[in-house]
Amino acid sequence: MPQTIDPDHTLPSEALLPFIIGPWLSQALFVAAKLGVADLLRYAPQSCVALADVTKMDEQSLYRILRALASVGIFAEDENRRFRMTPMAMPLQTGVPGSLRSYAIMIGEGWHWQPWGEILQSVKTGRPAFEHVFGASLSDYLAQHPDAGRILAEALDGKSTIENDSIVSAYDFASSRTIVDVGGGKGTCLTSILTANPGAKGILFDLPHVIDMARPAIEASGLASRCTLMAGNFFESVPSGGDVYILKKIVQNWDDDRARLIQGCCRTAIPTNGRLLTIEFVIPPGNEPSFGKLLDLLLLIWTGGKERTDAEHQDLLSTTGFKPNQIIPTASALTIIESLPI
């Protein structure tokens, strides 16, 4: 949101307005991310004429997009209508640590924003607006639209870099022999853990089309000899043979009944001396700001899932055969809930 607005010294309507027009800004960011503007400005400022020429865009229209972004600190314009990078624009670059370029692109894609237009449908029915708009669940849609699935995977990978480092720093995996990452996507979390713990092996488990996307990344990481890729459905079963099972941002995607199915399958597979790590947002009480409280709305319209409080997490675990053992905060917004089978 524009940083020039100070709610303590403006009318309430002026303070509220930036939140109302938030989608305008996210769509402008989508354009800049899609065109790779930050990559083009990485080494030196560029004129809008040059940027328009490289991106094959209308110069005046592109200028208006970049001028709007510069007004809130994303890029900066000089007196010659040249644009340069700013600290806030850095994460829009490709391949930098914590890159949000793919995340910004995802936010602007039709399959992401169209369900938001039907959010009242979700509030009224409790069902995902995504299914109302597209006639399919999110997972089925992504399986049928590989480009959308790729964008989502890349978006989550970008945000996961900082999260994964914080998980590796916060939790001691030194005694782990085989780590099973259930619903582990392209394997960024598991490869971070295996890289930091050379004595451990891993099993990456996800849907077949996700495993197909993960395979090149695992091979490129040099960990293929220590990381087995397995395809399946975590509502039916998960691989046995691990002593540590990870559910990173998986439970959040489902309602309580389906979350219990996933945790129940983990309970069936896990040995008596094993550990389950549920890595999620934990919703704080009261009016405390939380990204999880906003992400919770996306889950409402996308999957019917939800972010949970500490009590709600513990209730799920206790009804699926687990006893929470310790709660471990991380340097990111995620919390590690270690549970033991009972």
Side-chain angles (χ1 to χ4, degrees):
M1 296 298 102
Q3 296 179 342
T4 55
I5 290 184
D6 181 356
D8 294 330
H9 298 90
T10 60
L11 296 172
S13 58
E14 293 174 332
L16 179 61
L17 185 60
F19 295 92
I20 295 175
I21 64 173
W24 302 357
L25 180 57
S26 66
Q27 288 301 115
L29 276 166
F30 164 73
V31 172
K34 191 85 170 180
L35 297 179
V37 172
D39 291 339
L40 296 173
L41 299 179
R42 180 174 297 184
Y43 300 112
Q46 298 282 339
S47 70
C48 197
V49 174
L51 293 171
D53 182 60
V54 171
T55 59
K56 309 302 181 187
M57 294 289 119
D58 175 69
E59 179 194 341
Q60 284 300 316
S61 299
L62 180 59
Y63 172 75
R64 290 160 70 178
I65 290 287
L66 298 180
R67 178 178 63 182
L69 292 174
S71 75
V72 294
I74 305 167
F75 307 120
E77 180 188 6
D78 67 19
E79 63 277 7
N80 297 315
R81 292 184 27 143
R82 295 190 312 168
F83 289 90
R84 61 174 173 81
M85 293 292 286
T86 61
M88 276 183 58
M90 293 295 184
L92 290 175
Q93 297 176 90
T94 305
V96 298
S99 172
L100 292 177
R101 182 188 176 193
S102 292
Y103 205 87
I105 293 173
M106 178 192 72
I107 295 297
E109 294 285 352
W111 54 268
H112 175 273
W113 60 255
Q114 288 179 41
W116 282 102
E118 297 292 335
I119 189 171
L120 277 175
Q121 180 75 15
S122 287
V123 176
K124 179 179 179 180
T125 66
R127 298 292 305 158
F130 192 97
E131 295 177 359
H132 177 72
V133 173
F134 293 108
S137 68
L138 176 64
S139 58
D140 288 344
Y141 180 90
L142 295 176
Q144 296 161 11
H145 297 81
D147 285 345
R150 176 184 54 79
I151 290 170
L152 177 60
E154 290 175 355
L156 297 181
D157 283 351
K159 279 194 89 276
S160 289
T161 302
I162 296 173
E163 295 172 352
N164 295 337
D165 290 345
S166 72
I167 291 166
V168 170
S169 297
Y171 192 82
D172 184 7
F173 291 95
S175 63
S176 305
R177 298 185 305 276
T178 301
I179 301 159
V180 182
D181 194 353
V182 179
K186 292 175 66 178
T188 58
C189 180
L190 184 56
T191 54
S192 295
I193 296 170
L194 294 180
T195 299
N197 296 272
K201 294 183 177 181
I203 298 174
L204 181 65
F205 180 72
D206 214 311
L207 294 168
H209 73 277
V210 179
I211 291 297
D212 288 341
M213 286 194 296
R215 197 175 307 280
I218 296 298
E219 292 173 353
S221 72
L223 295 168
S225 63
R226 293 168 50 206
C227 184
T228 302
L229 278 62
M230 297 183 65
N233 186 331
F234 53 39
F235 292 116
E236 298 171 358
S237 65
V238 303
S240 58
D243 56 307
V244 176
Y245 283 72
I246 293 176
L247 290 171
K248 182 194 173 196
K249 297 201 295 191
I250 298 299
V251 175
Q252 66 179 20
N253 294 316
W254 309 101
D255 60 27
D256 287 350
D257 289 341
R258 304 199 82 185
R260 288 189 181 96
L261 282 176
I262 300 167
Q263 290 182 335
C265 287
C266 290
R267 180 62 187 89
T268 299
I270 200 167
T272 54
N273 63 341
R275 293 166 284 165
L276 174 68
L277 305 184
T278 304
I279 305 174
E280 296 273 354
F281 294 97
V282 175
I283 295 294
N287 298 317
E288 183 178 335
S290 167
F291 177 71
K293 291 179 179 179
L294 300 178
L295 183 60
D296 181 60
L297 301 181
L298 177 62
L299 297 174
L300 171 68
I301 66 169
W302 256 17
T303 66
K306 62 180 181 179
E307 301 296 353
R308 293 173 171 86
T309 64
D310 177 59
E312 289 170 328
H313 278 297
Q314 299 213 29
D315 178 64
L316 273 182
L317 289 162
S318 65
T319 58
T320 52
F322 289 99
K323 176 179 68 174
N325 185 50
Q326 56 177 329
I327 308 295
I328 305 170
T330 74
S332 72
L334 296 178
T335 297
I336 303 172
I337 305 171
E338 181 194 65
S339 303
L340 308 177
I342 54 176

